[in-house]
Every structure is written in structure tokens, then in C-alpha cells.
Amino acid sequence: MQRRELLKKGSSLALLLGAPQLAQGAGIIAVRVWPAQDYTRVTIESDAPLKASHRTVEDPPRLAVDIDGLKLDAALQQLVGKVRSDDPNIAGVRVGQYTPDVVRLVFDLKRATEPQVFTLTPVAAYKYRLVFDLYPANPPDPMEMLLAQLGQGGAQPPIPAPPPGQPTPPATGVHVAQADEHDPLAELIARQTSKYREPGAPSTAVASADGIGIKPPPRPEPDRTVASAGAPGIRPPARGSAPSSRGGPRRMLLVAIDPGHGGEDPGATGPAGTNEKNVVLPIALYLRDRLNASTAGRYPLRAFLTREADYFVPLNTRVHKARSVGADLFISIHADAFTNPGARGGSVFALSERGASSNAARWLAQKENQADAVGGINIAAASRAPHLQRALLDMSTAAQITDSLKLGHALLREMDKVGHLHKKQVERAGFAVLRAPDIPSVLVETAFISNPEEERKLRTAAYQSRLADALLVGVRNYFAANPPLA
Ligand SMILES: [Zn+2]
């Protein structure tokens, strides 16, 4: 009855206003879907702000979204075909013109979800964005993700194929070095106590199936829940448990690799159209495989990726993930860009709390720190989790920076053998992603993607692989000169 009345109202409104007034409203520019284990993002970009209301519905789990003042068009309809079958969170999406002025989207979900729905004002190349971030109600914590990455009893999170014309990343399977008599992974878990939680995920959701108006599809096969990927028997022990006292090396050395940008944030773009996010990910994957097959002295090396797929990870979350798994080092991988296409060569940066070592370093840090705005951080949710920021800001980074400079120097020496160096010394500036107070952290600008020659090289598997080799040797040399405390 209500709907009929709405429809009647809509048509009488049409008679009153006439066609020209009705034609006004937002036009859809693009729809994008970024699937990942952490969360799946759906973005609707439009030339005017969109107003949406949403509710979640259980059994089967769905998210219904009504967008006001919108006509269903071909651009929006494309959303249906953009959901991938291997999306960890979304099973499918249905789109319909619910009333003459309201478009309704219904996302059929693969698991219980706590959605964040928010809007972004124009920034960088984007106009207005309406964003749905679909976080699993039981988020995988970084330790589970590490276990999955190490291939110990967890499914590999999907890694999307690179876009056409992009180099192929290395195989995603990780070959864990054969079991040492002691179990470094168990050691790692033993020294791990912190629990990761995505900032600001809403804790309540309205659950009512009334008035959706679009029937759910037949129930799919049993839920393929992937939230608990850890193998039985190697779950993190209770808080405060002591490390193993068995013989052999007491620990493994864990390197957090942070491929810059991702998802809505492409990073820098080269003259041939190569996106930074797409070349730094394969370099990170090569480096991960190298590390996982290596040792530093008598310690096994292991890698943890802060992102494994093409999606947006806020800068703070990257730091938080690395701390949550107890990483020994943090290496953020980027590809520089500058207005002068002649600029070339790699460089390495460490944190500076005050000032920068050069104007160029300051400029670069400002540019990299914009990643959250371009990628599209949910400001409201982030501000509901202020403890994340405060915890980091309250701790001194002085010792961290001393070690970071040593690490940066060790990496530069090896990068010098692979290609040109832009700067022979480790530079410093206020990079947000280098703020872990307890982890030596560097940001590696592998080369200038704005330089046509270096852009071409960055796209080749050979160069990506050589860079990863150089970084591996640098890491090993750093640990050799700065052995971990027993
Ligand atoms: Zn970057």
C-alpha cells in the first residue's frame, strides 16, 4: 500500500514539475568493486553528491541501500557484473528502481557483515564518491592472515589478476622452509599477544527484512566462511604465555612488507599509464617469496604483507597490522614521481618527527600521506578509534629512527647495484606509514615511475625480481650487522 502511494506521489509530482526539473539529479560516473579478505569496498562515483540510507538484513545476510534522487542507468547497472565470484564478502548485487526517485541496491553477502556507508567529497581525479565498505563481522586478525600467508593451514586470500598490460606478479603460493626441529612459527605466535581490530567498525546493525522490495535469491550452497583460517593446534596462545624454551634458535625474524597504495588510490602514474600500486605489489610478492626461503644467520626469515590484493589500506592500519604480528622490520615499497621526467633512481626514507632532510623529501612525504584522502578513509569511523593514533603518538621514535637509518643504508647499498640511486644517503621526512615506534621502518622509492625509462623497467618481471633480490640482501646484511637480541 505504502509503495503504491509513493508511486502515486511520484507520478503526481512528475505532472506538477514537468520533465526539465525531473532531469536534474546526479549522474553516475563510474562504479568500482575492490574485493579483499579484510573488507570489500563498493564505490559509486557521481557528478553530484548522493544521499543514501542503508540497513543490514540477516538470514541470508544482505545489505539494502536506497539512493535518493537517482535514476537507474546503464552505468549503475554495470555494478551487477563487477562482483567477482571469488569476492570473500559479496555473493552478488541486485539493482532496481524502487520508486521513481529511489534506486535500491541489495548486496547478497557471503558472511555476516558490518557495513560502513559514507560519502567522500571530490579529491584528486575523483568527483563525489558514495562508499560501501563491507567488513566481515568476524574480521580476520593479522595473525590469522600471517598464518594464511605462510601457507600453514589457511587458504590463500585471493590475489586478483593484474590489469591488462600489467606485469604478472610472481606465484602467490608460499613455500615455507621445511620444518625446523623447533617451530619458528609457534615461537612467533608465542610472542604475540596483541589482538587486531579494524578501527571503528559499527557494532550494531538493524536487522529487519521488512520492505526490502527485492526478494533474496535462492539460498546458495553452505556458507564458505573464511574468517577462521588458522589451522587447529597453532592458534595464538592465551595472553602472557611465555616463549618456547626448546633448543635451537629462539625466534624467527619477521619482515612486514608494505606495498604502497591500492584500490581507489592508484599512487603515482607513469607517462605510459602505469599505476604505482600495480608495480609495487609484484615487487612485494617477489620479496616475500625470497624472504620466506631465507635465513639471516641462524634465524629463519619470514614475511608479512600489509596488503595482498588491490584494495585500500589506510596508513594507520598498515602500521597497526605490522605491530599486531610483532614485525621486526617494516619496509614500505613505492615508486616515485616528479614533474621533471628526467628525475630517476631509487631512494630510501626514514621517519623524521620534525622537519625533513630536504624540500623534496618533505614534498614527497606530503604526497604519500595523501593516500588516505585519495584512497578514501572513513573519517567518522577513524575518529571513533582514536586510541590507534594516540598510542603511536605517545611513544618515542628516537631509537626506531636510529635503526631505520641503518636499515635504509643497508638497502641503499644493494639498490645501488641494481639501478641508479637518486640519493646516496637515507633521507628523512614525516611519513605517516613509518610511525611504528617499535619497528625499524623505511620507505623505499624503488625508482621514478614518472621517468619513461624507469617506468618501462618497473613493469618488467626481471627488474621487479632484481629489486626484490637487492632488498633481500639488504635485509640480511642489516640483521648480520644488527643481530636481534636473544
Ligand atoms: Zn607511493
Side-chain angles (χ1 to χ4, degrees):
M1 229 25 227
Q2 208 178 1
R3 182 174 178 190
R4 183 179 291 248
E5 265 169 33
L6 273 174
L7 282 169
K8 253 162 69 183
K9 263 189 202 155
S11 54
S12 56
L13 211 61
L15 288 173
L16 285 172
L17 296 176
Q21 285 86 346
L22 271 188
Q24 70 185 352
I28 302 299
I29 294 171
V31 293
R32 296 180 287 271
V33 182
W34 306 103
Q37 289 289 340
D38 281 13
Y39 71 106
T40 293
R41 167 172 291 191
V42 176
T43 304
I44 299 175
E45 189 185 353
S46 55
D47 58 11
L50 293 176
K51 195 167 168 292
S53 56
H54 71 281
R55 66 173 124 177
T56 51
V57 183
E58 288 171 357
D59 199 26
R62 280 157 289 159
L63 169 70
V65 180
D66 284 350
I67 308 175
D68 291 340
L70 197 60
K71 298 278 180 247
L72 183 55
D73 66 359
L76 195 53
Q77 197 84 52
Q78 280 183 356
L79 186 56
V80 175
K82 290 200 170 175
V83 174
R84 295 154 36 134
S85 59
D86 61 352
D87 188 313
N89 299 295
I90 304 179
V93 59
R94 291 166 285 136
V95 184
Q97 189 80 47
Y98 183 55
T99 75
D101 283 327
V102 175
V103 166
R104 175 162 290 184
L105 312 175
V106 177
F107 295 96
D108 297 303
L109 304 171
K110 288 182 177 170
R111 48 184 170 178
T113 296
E114 293 183 351
Q116 296 184 16
V117 180
F118 56 100
T119 55
L120 298 165
T121 51
V123 62
Y126 294 121
K127 303 284 272 183
Y128 295 88
R129 286 179 287 175
L130 172 62
V131 177
F132 315 107
D133 282 351
L134 301 169
Y135 285 91
N138 297 306
D141 86 7
M143 188 54 67
E144 286 177 286
M145 291 195 139
L146 172 62
L147 294 176
Q149 287 183 16
L150 291 174
Q152 299 245 340
Q156 285 288 325
I159 296 191
Q166 295 292 345
T168 309
T172 59
V174 177
H175 309 289
V176 176
Q178 270 327 298
D180 306 294
E181 49 196 294
H182 46 275
D183 182 353
L185 192 60
E187 301 281 352
L188 180 133
I189 292 165
R191 67 185 163 96
Q192 189 42 240
T193 54
S194 64
K195 173 90 179 165
Y196 170 84
R197 185 133 184 109
E198 197 61 43
S203 55
T204 54
V206 183
S208 160
D210 293 341
I212 290 304
I214 301 176
K215 282 185 186 155
R219 197 170 183 131
E221 68 271 35
D223 204 3
R224 281 170 290 159
T225 303
V226 276
S228 58
I234 49 172
R235 310 293 295 183
R239 209 166 260 274
S241 57
S244 160
S245 57
R246 280 176 290 167
R250 286 290 180 275
R251 55 179 301 191
M252 58 195 271
L253 297 172
L254 185 63
V255 181
I257 310 170
D258 177 53
H261 313 280
E264 297 272 296
D265 172 22
T269 302
T274 310
N275 285 332
E276 179 183 357
K277 67 173 183 176
N278 290 326
V279 293
V280 297
L281 184 57
I283 293 169
L285 292 170
Y286 279 121
L287 179 56
R288 175 187 68 176
D289 289 355
R290 302 288 198 280
L291 284 164
N292 283 336
S294 299
T295 57
R298 58 203 191 98
Y299 301 104
L301 287 169
R302 292 292 181 271
F304 171 73
L305 288 174
T306 57
R307 81 168 168 96
E308 286 185 284
D310 187 8
Y311 73 108
F312 167 64
V313 183
L315 297 173
N316 246 335
T317 304
R318 296 168 187 263
V319 177
H320 188 57
K321 282 183 170 186
R323 298 186 77 216
S324 296
V325 297
D328 294 287
L329 297 179
F330 181 94
I331 302 176
S332 193
I333 299 180
H334 292 255
D336 221 336
F338 196 59
T339 44
N340 173 6
R344 65 170 190 170
S347 37
V348 177
F349 296 82
L351 179 66
S352 169
E353 290 284 38
R354 265 168 229 179
S357 54
S358 70
N359 283 333
R362 179 182 302 112
W363 181 80
L364 182 70
Q366 280 167 0
K367 199 155 57 79
E368 295 292 4
N369 290 348
Q370 278 174 6
D372 279 353
V374 179
I377 198 167
N378 183 356
I379 301 279
S383 65
R384 283 198 297 273
H387 59 281
L388 285 184
Q389 280 111 330
R390 211 179 307 126
L392 295 181
L393 292 176
D394 285 351
M395 293 163 77
S396 167
T397 51
Q400 185 260 66
I401 290 170
T402 303
D403 289 334
S404 300
L405 292 171
K406 290 178 189 165
L407 171 63
H409 188 68
L411 297 178
L412 274 177
R413 268 180 50 189
E414 300 309 314
M415 289 167 62
D416 198 12
K417 299 170 186 169
V418 175
H420 302 281
L421 285 187
H422 187 65
K423 283 274 163 91
K424 296 261 180 198
Q425 298 301 321
V426 181
E427 292 212 78
R428 294 180 57 185
F431 293 91
V433 81
L434 301 181
R435 288 195 179 280
D438 41 7
I439 310 174
S441 301
V442 294
L443 185 140
V444 174
E445 296 283 358
T446 49
F448 276 83
I449 202 170
S450 51
N451 178 306
E453 168 73 5
E454 295 202 335
E455 178 190 28
R456 193 189 55 73
K457 281 203 291 191
L458 280 168
R459 294 167 62 106
T460 66
Y463 190 69
Q464 294 166 357
S465 173
R466 283 171 62 209
L467 270 170
D469 283 334
L471 296 177
L472 170 70
V473 175
V475 166
R476 296 185 66 184
N477 289 345
Y478 168 81
F479 280 129
N482 306 275
L485 299 174

